[in-house]
Amino acid sequence: MKQYFPKWSLLIYLAIFILQCFAYHYNRILPLRPRSVHHWRQADGLVIAQNYYEEDRGFFNPATNLISYSGSRDAVSEFPIIQYIVAKLWKVFGVHEWIYRLINIIFLLTGFMIFMKAVEKEIQNSAIPILLCTLFFASSTVAFYGSNFLPDIPALGCTLAASGMLLRYRQNANSAVFLGSILFFTLGALFKVSFAMVPLSFFIMWLVQQVSRQIKIFHKPLLEIIGFIFFVSIIFFWLRWVNFYNSSNGQVVFLTSIKPIWDTPEMAVIKESLRDIFSWSVYEFFTAPVWLFFLTVFFALILHFKRTDKPLLLLSIVLFLACIVYAVLFFQNFPGHDYYYLAFLPFIAFTIFSALSYLKINHPAVLNSTKLQLLFFVVIFLNVWVASVKMESRYFMERGNRKYSFLISRGQRDHANYNHWNHSVTMKSYETITPYLRSLGIKREDMVVCIEDPSPNISLYMANQVGWTSFGLNESDPDYISDKIKRGAKYLFLNREFLKEKEYAKPYISHKMGQYQNVEIFDLRPFKKD
């Protein structure tokens, strides 16, 4: 059977990618408002697009809906080009969050396609690279965030695209291809700085090549050093500006610094974090057998170093070390934050690419064998099945045929059940509350206090209001709401009945204006002292 069909490979992969999207229920998920795991971080990205749209802000003046202690809403995390573009598209097509989801999917697809074509050209085989990228998209974590609002997926897509272009540059020494890779690397790191470890690993390879004739990836030293200096300079100045912008506006919402393991307060916390990582988080990315396969391949290649494509394997080793450094520097964020594992995928990609190159050099018959393709197919099928079930558990827990699937552990099922319950009693009403608020005469710019919402922006974004949430609320502080009244709060939203008994809320519930589902709305203006 013919293994190399470059004219048709992109079309075939696109068809498979679309089938995977249906397997993950993207057709049902695209119209949904933000919800499920990491609802908090989803809203933090969307709210910046909302402010670009509502207030026609300039690109370098992003904002959230949360008012900081300084009185400003100006804040930024990732490079907000996607939010800015989404806001402009909303002006044309109306406010539809599926536009944001679709842009993230396009970034991911682009990265997979460019990387796939580079591997295809290198090993002169189309079937295996198609199956390889299909396997990457079979990750439960990639599947979940692929249609989401977090910046990690655009960062991953840009990084894979840039890596694929550098591999093509290795083959053809085309300056335009190299510059394109630098631009993609830069954009990826602007979206999520952790992905900078990939171009920095390539730069280490560039340094190694200057002293070793056995390493051959780069061709034009002057062009390349200018490209890497451009990359480092842009990322450096962007991070400096982000820190300046947030600190000058009193914003503490976004993480803009490392959270290393040595700053973890107690050894018991480190042990608990490691237990969480190795018992749950890491297996959200891939199943245990797939992780075992990846690591076995990696260390087997090291043992056969002399018979490998040395530049590719050395790059994989550098990326492995970079992943360790990354995990140490951001250790405190790994437990419970499965999207942090997305930065590991380039290492996995280059490890498998190195293995395929090894087979091409030493065992071409195995590379082109039907048995290898069948092995890929079985692994992909099982992981797509797992990812599909997990997607349903995260979004559609009411479907009984998947609710108690053996593919979901009891802990995962309990976690999904809690998320669905918590969303239904705290945030679901906010998804459609805005027209009702406007009917009461409450304008977007009227400052509100939304309780119970421990996040900075979920309820404020969903209701399209500015103001405050329970973020930073000290339950023992009876003056929390009175302080917000002094700062201009006009309305109080309470979404749980028991909240009216709280000391900080009880004095301010005498002027009820209305109720939308479980959200009660109280007028705070009578308590405003002149």
Side-chain angles (χ1 to χ4, degrees), residues 22 63 66-67 125 162 184 230 241 319 390 435 455 465 499 502:
F22 277 101
L66 180 73
I67 301 173
N125 182 302
F184 270 110
F230 170 83
W241 183 81
L319 281 170
K390 288 184 177 180
S455 79
Q465 295 289 152
L499 293 171
K502 296 290 186 179

Side-chain angles (χ1 to χ4, degrees), residues 321-338:
L321 297 175
C323 287
I324 294 175
V325 172
Y326 163 60
V328 169
L329 292 179
F330 292 91
F331 175 79
Q332 296 179 53
N333 292 90
F334 272 81
H337 293 83
D338 53 349

Side-chain angles (χ1 to χ4, degrees), residues 426-445:
T426 60
M427 293 301 155
K428 188 170 179 58
S429 300
Y430 283 107
E431 293 184 349
T432 52
I433 198 174
T434 306
Y436 179 72
L437 298 178
R438 301 298 175 260
S439 73
L440 295 178
I442 301 176
K443 300 185 289 293
R444 168 182 156 79
E445 60 270 20

Side-chain angles (χ1 to χ4, degrees), residues 357-417:
S357 181
Y358 169 84
L359 291 177
K360 179 191 174 186
I361 295 169
N362 301 283
H363 307 285
V366 175
L367 178 65
N368 296 304
S369 69
T370 305
K371 290 182 179 179
L372 181 60
Q373 294 179 33
L374 183 61
L375 175 63
F376 263 105
F377 179 80
V378 171
V379 173
I380 288 168
F381 175 81
L382 293 174
N383 279 271
V384 167
W385 185 16
V386 171
S388 177
V389 171
K390 288 184 177 180
M391 288 291 283
E392 276 202 308
S393 74
R394 288 186 170 190
Y395 281 105
F396 312 110
M397 202 60 171
E398 73 277 5
R399 292 200 44 179
N401 61 321
R402 296 296 182 90
K403 185 173 181 178
Y404 300 106
S405 172
F406 69 93
L407 294 172
I408 304 176
S409 69
R410 181 172 182 176
Q412 290 171 328
R413 184 164 59 246
D414 291 344
H415 186 253
N417 279 329

Side-chain angles (χ1 to χ4, degrees), residues 259-271 273 328 331-332:
K259 303 269 286 187
I261 190 171
W262 56 82
D263 282 350
T264 308
E266 298 177 359
M267 181 58 67
V269 177
I270 294 177
K271 291 180 178 178
S273 298
V328 169
F331 175 79
Q332 296 179 53

Side-chain angles (χ1 to χ4, degrees), residues 6-77:
K7 292 182 179 180
W8 296 98
S9 57
L10 280 180
L11 188 60
I12 292 171
Y13 178 68
L14 176 61
I16 294 173
F17 183 88
I18 292 173
L19 288 175
Q20 282 184 281
C21 289
F22 277 101
Y24 303 146
H25 317 286
Y26 279 12
N27 54 310
R28 300 173 62 201
I29 292 169
L30 280 175
L32 296 179
R33 303 215 66 187
R35 61 178 62 184
S36 190
V37 181
H38 300 300
H39 196 175
W40 180 325
R41 189 60 181 86
Q42 295 175 50
D44 286 346
L46 278 162
V47 76
I48 291 178
Q50 187 178 73
N51 278 277
Y52 278 136
Y53 171 78
E54 293 284 356
E55 302 175 10
D56 287 321
R57 287 173 169 259
F59 179 76
F60 287 102
N61 189 27
T64 70
N65 289 354
L66 180 73
I67 301 173
S68 73
Y69 64 83
S70 69
S72 173
R73 294 186 289 113
D74 295 350
V76 69
S77 177

